[in-house]
Amino acid sequence: MREKKRNLTKNKAKLSINNKTYEFPIYKSTEGESVIDISKLHSIANIFTYDPGFTSTASCESKITFIDGEKGILRYRGYDIEELAKKSDFIEVVNLLIYGDLPNNKQLKKYKRLITRHTLLHDQIINFFQGFRRDAHPMAMMVGVMGALSSFYQDTLDIHDAHQRQEATRRIVAKSATIGAMAYKYSIGQSFVSPKNNLSFSENFLHMCFSNTAEEYKISPILSKAMDTIFILHADHEQNASTSTVRLAGSSGANPFACIAAGVSSLWGPAHGGANQAALEMLEEIGTSKNIRKYLNKAKNKKDPFKLMGFGHRVYKNYDPRAKILKNICQKVLNHVGIKNDPILKLAIDLEKIALREKYFIDKKLYPNVDFYSGIILRAIGFPPEMFTVIFAIARTAGWTAQWTEMIEDPIQKIGRPRQLYTGNKPLKYGKNRSKKNTR
Ligand code: SDX
C-alpha cells in the first residue's frame, strides 16, 4: 500500500502489553488533536483497540472540515462558518467543499450553470413516487429515490473515472432538491413542480415546494436567503454518523448514488439529522414554559429515555456555532411572515436559558445544537416537521459528496473493515443444548 508524507511528532506513543513495549508514530494535525497511528497494532501485538461509538477514534485523514468542540468553531476548508453564512451562497460552498478552494467568478458561474442543468430528473422516476403510500415519511422517498438514481445515470458510476465522479457529485447535489420537493408535493397530494433554470438553488427549492399549477410562489429574498443559509450551515460536519456511513459504503467501491442513499438513511435517525423534526415536536409537546421543569427532570432521569432534542453533541462541548446563527435568523424570518411573538420560539429561548443554568447540563456540557432552532425557521417558511430532515439531507449532499470524493482519491484508501471484542459462545457441538425459553 502506498505510504503518505506525514507531519510526525518527535516522540512516539508507547504501549506496554504483557511486559512488552510497542511504539507507534504520532501524526500532528494542522489544527486540533494529533493522532496515534495504531494501524500496525494487531499485526505486531495480536490485540485490537476497543472504542464503541468511535469516541476517541479518527477514521480517516481529511482536509475538508475542522471543528473545535471546546471553542465552538466550525470551518469549511479553513473558512469560518459565520463568514460563509454571511458572505457566500450554498452552491459556492458546495464548490468550496468539493474542490478545496473558493471558485473565481468564472468558475462559479460555470458551476452554477452545471448544477442548474442537473436539477431535472428522468421522467420515469415519477413512477417511484407512485409506489409510496401518501403518508410515507418524505425521508423514505429520499432514501429510495436517491438509491434508484444509479439505474438512471449509468454513465457516472465508474468511481475510478475523475470526470464521472465529478458529474455524479453535481447530479446528486442538484437532484437532491428536486427529489426532496417531489417528496413534499407527493405527501400533500399536489402535482410535482419542475425546476426553473432562471432561479438560484434555494429559490428553485422554494419554488418547487410552494408553487402549484394554479399559482406561482412569490419568492421572498428574505426567505430564500434564510433557506440558503440553512443549506450552508448543514452542508458538512466532519466525520459524523451519516458521513462515516457514506465513507464506509464508498470504501467497498459502491456507486456514489448508493453511498449517498446510505448516508440519507443514517441521517434519518433522531439522534442525528432526525433531531430537527424531533426538537420541534418536543417543543410543541412541552407547550408552555410552565412545563419546562417537568421535561428537564425527565431529561436528567437516567431511567427515562427522554432526551432534550436539539441539545448535546458528540463534539461540541460549547454552543454549536450553527445554532447561534440560526437563533439570530429566527426572529427575522418570523417577523417577515407576520409572526411577531411565536410562542414556540419564546419557549425554546426560555428552555435554553433554564437548561444552561442546570448543573446536569453544565457538567455534561450540553448546549443547543444545529437542530434546536432550525425547525422554528423551517416551520415559519412553511415546511411541515417531516420535511426538516429532508432539507438537512439536501444540504448534506454537499459534504457527503466532498468526503466521498476525498476518500476515493486518497492513495491509501482501502475497504473499511472494523474488528470486534467477541464475548459469545465457546465452541459447541450441534445437538441438545437448545433454548429453554418458550418465546422468541
Ligand atoms: C446532529 O456528529 C455530528 O456532527 C452531528 C451533526 C452534524 O452536523 O452532522 O452535528 C448533526 O446530529 C446534531 C445532534 C442532534 N441530536 C440531538 O439533538 C438528539 C439529542 N442529543 C443526544 O442524543 C446526544 O447529545 C447526541 C447523540 C447528540 C450525542 O451523544 P453522545 O456524544 O454519544 O453523548 P452521550 O449520549 O454519551 O451523552 C453524554 C451524557 C450522557 O449521560 P451519561 O451517560 O454520561 O450520564 O449526556 C447525556 C447522556 O445521557 N445527554 C443528554 C443529552 N445529550 C446527552 N441528556 C439529556 N438530553 C440530551 N439531549
Side-chain angles (χ1 to χ4, degrees):
M1 184 180 68
R2 279 172 282 178
E3 292 292 317
K4 258 185 161 177
K5 215 167 63 47
R6 295 284 181 207
N7 183 2
L8 283 168
T9 58
K10 273 196 314 310
N11 51 358
K12 294 198 169 200
K14 288 188 176 56
L15 191 55
S16 71
I17 306 167
N18 306 332
N19 302 322
K20 219 172 151 212
T21 304
Y22 302 88
E23 288 197 343
F24 300 94
I26 297 177
Y27 304 146
K28 263 181 78 49
S29 60
T30 320
E31 286 211 83
E33 291 83 348
S34 300
V35 299
I36 303 170
D37 179 349
I38 51 145
S39 51
K40 303 268 184 308
L41 174 67
H42 181 242
S43 58
I44 59 175
N46 204 31
I47 193 167
F48 297 135
T49 57
Y50 179 63
D51 182 15
F54 310 122
T55 52
S56 306
T57 295
S59 60
C60 63
E61 172 184 347
S62 179
K63 301 179 188 316
I64 298 174
T65 291
F66 173 70
I67 304 172
D68 182 324
E70 292 303 326
K71 297 191 189 118
I73 291 172
L74 169 59
R75 294 199 192 108
Y76 294 162
R77 298 286 187 178
Y79 294 95
D80 279 318
I81 194 68
E82 294 81 0
E83 221 185 351
L84 292 171
K86 210 182 287 146
K87 300 177 182 168
S88 186
D89 66 51
F90 178 60
I91 298 304
E92 182 178 65
V93 165
V94 174
N95 191 279
L96 168 68
L97 287 168
I98 292 178
Y99 292 97
D101 55 6
L102 284 172
N104 60 42
N105 289 337
K106 192 159 159 271
Q107 288 166 333
L108 183 58
K109 205 157 163 271
K110 180 174 172 236
Y111 192 69
K112 284 185 174 176
R113 201 175 50 250
L114 287 171
I115 293 282
T116 300
R117 302 189 72 76
H118 278 309
T119 48
L120 278 175
L121 285 167
H122 188 292
D123 218 30
Q124 268 188 280
I125 289 179
I126 291 178
N127 304 332
F128 281 91
F129 287 92
Q130 309 305 350
F132 286 98
R133 283 177 37 152
R134 286 286 178 182
D135 62 353
H137 195 292
M139 281 296 277
M141 297 181 229
M142 281 298 273
V143 172
V145 178
M146 185 57 80
L149 293 187
S150 56
S151 65
F152 288 87
Y153 302 106
Q154 302 191 27
D155 59 342
T156 49
L157 300 183
D158 180 355
I159 61 169
H160 303 295
D161 175 323
H163 171 72
Q164 290 195 33
R165 287 202 299 272
Q166 292 184 47
E167 192 69 339
T169 61
R170 291 190 282 263
R171 279 175 163 156
I172 288 163
V173 172
K175 296 179 196 300
S176 67
T178 311
I179 295 167
M182 290 172 81
Y184 173 56
K185 286 302 206 188
Y186 187 77
S187 63
I188 59 172
Q190 284 188 9
S191 43
F192 300 136
V193 172
S194 296
K196 283 177 145 180
N197 287 356
N198 63 327
L199 297 177
S200 73
F201 184 89
S202 300
E203 289 170 339
N204 229 343
F205 180 63
L206 294 174
H207 157 67
M208 291 188 282
C209 288
F210 299 129
S211 291
N212 57 52
T213 42
E215 193 177 335
E216 186 83 1
Y217 172 71
K218 201 171 164 324
I219 297 167
S220 117
I222 290 181
L223 297 190
S224 55
K225 173 66 183 156
M227 192 75 252
D228 203 69
T229 304
I230 285 178
F231 283 142
I232 291 174
L233 296 175
H234 289 79
D236 191 49
H237 212 241
E238 205 216 64
Q239 305 313 318
N240 56 82
S242 53
T243 298
S244 302
T245 303
V246 170
R247 278 181 172 263
L248 198 54
S251 73
S252 74
N255 74 68
F257 302 101
C259 297
I260 302 304
V264 177
S265 306
S266 169
L267 185 78
W268 194 357
H272 189 13
N276 49 21
Q277 172 178 349
L280 188 80
E281 287 165 351
M282 173 193 74
L283 290 168
E284 286 171 341
E285 185 188 329
I286 296 174
T288 69
S289 302
K290 274 196 329 308
N291 298 331
I292 288 178
R293 175 50 48 206
K294 175 182 144 202
Y295 282 85
L296 285 184
N297 291 341
K298 279 171 63 69
K300 297 189 298 190
N301 176 357
K302 282 267 133 275
K303 295 197 191 68
D304 190 326
F306 175 80
K307 285 221 167 27
L308 216 48
M309 301 316 277
F311 254 76
H313 199 277
R314 170 64 57 77
V315 178
Y316 288 123
K317 301 306 167 194
N318 198 326
Y319 212 104
D320 183 332
R322 301 167 296 177
K324 251 184 224 157
I325 298 168
L326 289 166
K327 185 179 175 183
N328 294 336
I329 298 176
C330 271
Q331 199 50 60
K332 193 168 170 197
V333 170
L334 288 163
N335 291 344
H336 180 76
V337 298
I339 305 173
K340 289 278 168 280
N341 306 306
D342 179 19
I344 292 291
L345 175 60
K346 182 181 174 320
L347 173 61
I349 292 172
D350 288 353
L351 176 55
E352 174 193 327
K353 218 181 292 169
I354 298 169
L356 295 186
R357 285 200 301 258
E358 291 278 302
K359 186 173 177 328
Y360 176 91
F361 286 84
I362 296 168
D363 293 351
K364 295 178 189 299
K365 298 186 177 178
L366 303 175
Y367 290 85
N369 60 49
V370 67
D371 294 309
F372 192 60
Y373 287 103
S374 56
I376 295 171
I377 300 169
L378 293 171
R379 185 185 67 148
I381 293 176
F383 292 105
E386 295 71 29
M387 276 297 289
F388 296 177
T389 311
V390 168
I391 289 163
F392 194 148
I394 292 166
R396 193 50 60 91
T397 57
W400 288 333
T401 51
Q403 300 269 352
W404 172 80
T405 303
E406 183 179 64
M407 181 207 59
I408 298 287
E409 293 174 355
D410 184 339
I412 64 165
Q413 186 269 330
K414 52 167 58 174
I415 189 165
R417 203 313 188 178
R419 301 302 303 274
Q420 63 180 9
L421 167 66
Y422 176 70
T423 54
N425 289 332
K426 289 193 179 315
L428 296 171
K429 282 268 168 283
Y430 184 82
K432 305 232 177 343
N433 50 337
R434 295 192 180 270
S435 163
K436 305 257 180 314
K437 299 186 193 91
N438 48 20
T439 55
R440 203 193 270 281

